Amino acid sequence: MTVAVAAVLILSVFVAGCIGNQSTSTQSSTSGGTTYTGTITIYTGGTSGVYYPLGSKYAELLNKAGIKAKAVTSGASVSNAKAIGDGNAQAAIMQNDVAYYAYNGLYMFQGKPIKNLRGVAALYPETVQFVVRADSDIKSLQDLAGKKVAIGAPGSGTAVAAEQILKAAGVWDKVQKVNQDFSQAAQALKLGQIDAAVIVSGAPTPAITQIAVTTPVRIIPISDEVLNKLKSEGYIFYVRQVLPKDTYKGMTEDTPTLAVKAILVVSASLPDDVVYEMTKVLFDNVDALRAVHQKAKYISLDTALDGMSIPLHPGAYKYYEEKGLKVPDNIKPPSG
């Protein structure tokens, strides 16, 4: 009887273990034949920008591919980098300059580098837009002296860009600064509560498009002199971009401005095979992303590494190697 009882007990433990394993499996994300426990939280931005619609669609595509994911709104680039650092996010969209600052502990991350930040892909140019009403007498950055300017949410990438550019133009200390996010700034501009709004986002930006329907707008041009000064001061991320005159209602001519790049990043803690699949899902579903926002038209394997400012995740690196892309040494995954 003792042997029989023992056999029954052993069989019960075995069956319980199998059931437990099945339970864990149903709560896991499967990717390419592998299993990853947990949900990948993707930090995006405000609902009026480009990050949120693209990030939400990307999360939907990941779920369809068997990778559990969810997109959440956030304060955009700076907040997203910090969320990766403290583990609240496993993926995010952010500006390449902010990613560089975060990884190297510069500017708003001074002395607090976020070393678990890894790159996946460059997505599209983020346009620096100094927006004014079409009937405004403000024609240049210098004309902003003495004016009330919304410079972005506190601690945001937009606020940093606004400071850098306005300092290069020599008017940073001469403007009345207001901290507002994209949607707040757009509404304040429409109501005449501010004279200009700084928005760093893919153009056309929904927040601007929406107000331009009833309140036509213009974009202030940024000169080569300002761009050259920015580069001489070490701000190598800015590139020239020209906005077509039909970008917003109220624009009557093509306008030269600047841009940085939006990039998809992940936490270094994500398994290589999962990030490999995440990269594959991104480029296999570009058409679906383009249906959500026209800025996705810039997402391409040909430009996937343009503007990448931090080391790639090994999973993304493997994907690019298989596709035959030459990865620059300075963004190859750290060894060890």
Side-chain angles (χ1 to χ4, degrees):
M1 290 296 293
T2 302
V3 174
V5 171
V8 170
L9 289 174
I10 291 172
L11 181 60
S12 299
V13 171
F14 175 78
V15 171
C18 290
I19 293 173
N21 287 337
Q22 282 186 330
S23 176
T24 301
S25 174
T26 60
Q27 297 176 5
S28 301
S29 298
T30 57
S31 170
T34 64
T35 301
Y36 169 71
T37 301
T39 299
I40 295 173
T41 299
I42 305 171
Y43 269 45
T44 60
T47 56
S48 296
V50 183
Y51 289 3
Y52 182 72
L54 284 185
S56 297
K57 186 63 178 181
Y58 181 53
E60 178 186 320
L61 295 168
L62 290 176
N63 279 294
K64 287 181 179 179
I67 302 173
K68 290 174 64 177
K70 66 177 181 179
V72 299
T73 60
S74 73
S77 294
V78 174
S79 298
N80 294 359
K82 291 178 178 178
I84 293 284
D86 60 26
N88 287 331
Q90 292 74 48
I93 304 174
M94 66 181 63
Q95 293 170 205
N96 61 347
D97 54 341
V98 174
Y100 180 86
Y101 302 153
Y103 186 80
N104 292 286
L106 303 173
Y107 301 105
M108 67 285 276
F109 303 97
Q110 187 68 46
K112 297 180 180 179
I114 301 176
K115 289 298 185 181
N116 67 329
L117 205 60
R118 296 291 183 271
V120 174
L123 303 177
Y124 60 86
E126 292 219 60
T127 311
V128 178
Q129 302 167 85
F130 281 78
V131 191
V132 297
R133 295 167 63 123
D135 58 2
S136 170
D137 60 357
I138 299 172
K139 306 295 183 181
S140 69
L141 293 180
Q142 286 70 29
D143 290 341
L144 291 172
K147 304 296 185 181
K148 187 175 291 187
V149 182
I151 60 169
S156 66
T158 294
V160 174
E163 180 176 356
Q164 292 171 349
I165 294 169
L166 290 174
K167 280 184 175 178
V171 293
W172 173 249
D173 294 326
K174 301 176 183 178
V175 302
Q176 300 177 49
K177 306 168 191 67
V178 180
N179 285 116
Q180 293 178 323
D181 64 24
F182 293 174
S183 59
Q184 291 171 334
Q187 289 304 312
L189 186 67
K190 178 179 179 179
L191 296 172
Q193 297 170 341
I194 57 174
D195 300 296
V198 185
I199 294 179
V200 181
S201 178
T205 304
I208 306 176
T209 300
Q210 289 166 11
I211 70 160
V213 173
T214 56
T215 307
V217 300
R218 282 187 292 106
I219 305 299
I220 303 174
I222 300 179
S223 67
D224 287 340
E225 181 182 0
V226 170
L227 175 57
N228 292 336
K229 186 168 184 180
L230 286 166
K231 289 187 174 181
S232 70
E233 293 176 350
Y235 303 123
I236 61 175
F237 306 103
Y238 293 109
V239 297
R240 173 62 72 199
Q241 184 179 9
V242 177
L243 280 186
K245 62 183 179 182
D246 60 352
T247 303
Y248 301 112
K249 182 179 178 181
M251 292 179 64
T252 58
E253 57 186 10
D254 295 347
T255 304
T257 184
L258 307 180
V260 292
K261 295 281 286 207
I263 61 175
L264 176 64
V265 303
V266 293
S267 169
S269 65
L270 283 180
D272 295 359
D273 50 9
V274 172
V275 177
Y276 174 91
E277 288 296 324
M278 290 175 68
T279 312
K280 186 176 186 299
V281 167
L282 175 69
F283 290 108
D284 282 353
N285 295 276
V286 173
D287 287 343
L289 293 170
R290 289 173 180 169
V292 171
H293 198 285
Q294 61 179 304
K295 291 307 291 185
K297 69 183 180 182
Y298 293 101
I299 300 176
S300 168
L301 198 56
D302 293 335
T303 57
L305 302 179
D306 292 358
M308 182 55 63
S309 56
I310 58 174
L312 291 172
H313 190 285
Y317 177 64
K318 177 184 177 183
Y319 178 84
Y320 294 131
E321 276 202 315
E322 289 184 359
K323 292 295 182 180
L325 271 65
K326 181 174 175 56
V327 178
D329 290 340
N330 66 315
I331 62 170
K332 288 182 178 178
S335 58

